[in-house]
Amino acid sequence: MSPEVYSVISLLAVFSGALLLVSAWIGVRAEMSARRYFPLQFTDDLSSRYYMMYVLFNRSIPLEIRRRFGVSAALSIVAFAGFAAVAYLADNSVIAVLLLLICGYAVANTVVQWHEARR
């Protein structure tokens, strides 16, 4: 591999790592803000994380919190796609495919929730 490819790999890895950290920070802030709107059975620390996947299209949650959660989800998808590009450039195509499957699952889950929310 040429030095240019190594520099692109390292730049992509650092950028994707930073995106993942920012995504986690925004997601935790959104969860802490949204927890007071959750049903009683989902107000504790552990079960509130399970309810977070339904926050994006839940109209009982304020729009600002849903927007923060959507930004967090989008940033994490971009970060995983960046890590997949790093794995592909490092000739590790199995890891790249697995990371792209995670991205595809996240997008498909969002589309399914959007269709259910429109009903």
Side-chain angles (χ1 to χ4, degrees), residues 14-116:
V14 168
F15 182 71
S16 297
L19 275 179
L20 198 60
L21 287 175
V22 169
S23 168
W25 179 65
I26 293 172
V28 166
R29 283 188 57 221
E31 179 194 2
M32 289 168 47
S33 300
R35 193 179 292 174
R36 70 182 117 167
Y37 299 101
F38 288 179
L40 286 177
Q41 65 266 29
F42 295 108
T43 53
D44 63 297
D45 286 339
L46 184 60
S47 61
S48 69
R49 295 169 203 255
Y50 294 112
Y51 193 75
M52 274 305 285
M53 81 160 95
Y54 301 108
V55 165
L56 193 55
F57 298 108
N58 188 346
R59 293 174 193 232
S60 67
I61 308 288
L63 186 60
E64 175 63 25
I65 296 171
R66 292 187 289 156
R67 184 194 61 81
R68 271 193 264 148
F69 183 71
V71 167
S72 171
L75 287 177
S76 65
I77 290 171
V78 171
F80 275 104
F83 285 132
V86 167
Y88 180 76
L89 288 174
D91 295 328
N92 214 346
S93 53
V94 173
I95 302 291
V97 168
L98 287 174
L99 290 171
L100 287 176
L101 283 174
I102 292 170
C103 293
Y105 175 76
V107 169
N109 186 22
T110 304
V111 168
V112 165
Q113 284 185 31
W114 181 65
H115 280 294
E116 288 178 2

